[in-house]
Amino acid sequence: MSGTKKIALLIGASFESVFSIKTAQNCGFFVVALDGNPNAEGLKYADKSFVVDISDYKKICKVLSDNKITPSVVLPAPVGKILEVTAKVGEHYQLIGPSYSCVHKCTDKYLFHNELSNARLRNANCLLLEKNNAINNEQLFYPSVLKPRYGSGSRDVRVLLSKEDYDKYIFKKAPFDEDMILETLIIGDEFAYDAIVADNKVHTVSLKQKTNTPFPYRQCISYTICDNKEIIILVEYFFSKVCALLGINNCVIQSDLIVNKDGVFLIEMSPRPTGHYIYNVFNPKILKINVIEFFLKSQIAKFQF
């Protein structure tokens, strides 16, 4: 299955991925979907589907090779936990999109901090608390945010305003069963930012101001679209520098950030679409923007057929 047929590979076929599948099909692509769950919703909508362990890129490549499938592009999908696998598959087939090195710098929050900090694009303290290791209380600082080193969202994120907060919320859990990081609590307006990076240029999709739960948690409960052009230009310019630093290009990105009097503070970012019905419902229905369609059409001349 090669030649002139445009093949879009989807790794991770949850119900949220159905939007990516249908968009790619509407753009003329033959969609091949993979998932470890035989009941994954997206498998029913793809043109060809395989059940395979999507945490292992070698198994993915073997399935494709055995079935004589050469993908033209790896389809963006809101599946954060297999980003590194997706990047490895893309590199194996020499496809456009972020490299494994680039993705790894985004998924490892401690490495991400060090990369940006060394380039003076992130001004905060960051302490690595390795799993199963005793914690030296003298190294701790406040106010701070404690969160897992890996993974996205607000899972296990705690704001610690003082040593009392640490004793109250964290002490009994230490040492931790996974790597954690403690970083400076940055105060300001928090936003969710969606963009597309094409040919080293950042195209803003949406900038949404977040309303979060009160401390010690940091869970978003609502969004308000930001149409302040000065803030959008500021964020877009900042991201152009971050993307250049990390080598992020020809992909969809989503991120969380803070804007205050000091500028932009990037909390985290990921080269994938935003889930939670943002990329597949909110953006196309409210903003009239289909990030998957934009991505595919802007890059179609580079795809391997």
Side-chain angles (χ1 to χ4, degrees), residues 26 34 39 42 62 67 78 82 86 102 106 124 140 158-159 162 164-165 183 186 191 214 237 242-243 250:
N26 289 337
L34 310 176
N39 298 314
K62 185 176 188 306
N67 289 275
I82 49 89
T86 299
C102 159
C106 292
L140 304 180
R158 291 274 190 166
V159 174
S162 63
E164 288 70 27
D165 283 347
E183 66 179 27
I186 304 298
F191 295 87
Y237 175 69
V242 173
C243 290
N250 298 323

Side-chain angles (χ1 to χ4, degrees), residues 88-103:
K88 286 183 177 180
V89 172
E91 287 187 341
H92 179 83
Y93 288 99
Q94 297 181 323
L95 305 178
I96 66 167
S99 67
Y100 169 78
S101 173
C102 159
V103 171

Side-chain angles (χ1 to χ4, degrees), residues 3 5-7 70-73 93-96 300 302-305:
K5 205 171 192 73
K6 298 179 294 183
I7 300 175
T70 302
S72 307
V73 63
Y93 288 99
Q94 297 181 323
L95 305 178
I96 66 167
I300 198 165
K302 303 186 186 72
F303 295 151
Q304 297 180 15
F305 302 142

Side-chain angles (χ1 to χ4, degrees), residues 66-78:
D66 289 348
N67 289 275
K68 297 180 171 54
I69 296 172
T70 302
S72 307
V73 63
V74 178
L75 199 57

Side-chain angles (χ1 to χ4, degrees), residues 133-147:
N133 283 2
I135 295 175
N136 181 354
N137 289 340
E138 294 182 0
Q139 291 182 297
L140 304 180
F141 51 86
Y142 311 97
S144 55
V145 180
L146 181 74
K147 57 187 178 183

Side-chain angles (χ1 to χ4, degrees), residues 246-259:
L246 299 180
I248 296 174
N249 191 25
N250 298 323
C251 64
V252 178
I253 60 172
Q254 65 89 26
S255 65
D256 295 312
L257 58 92
I258 290 171
V259 176

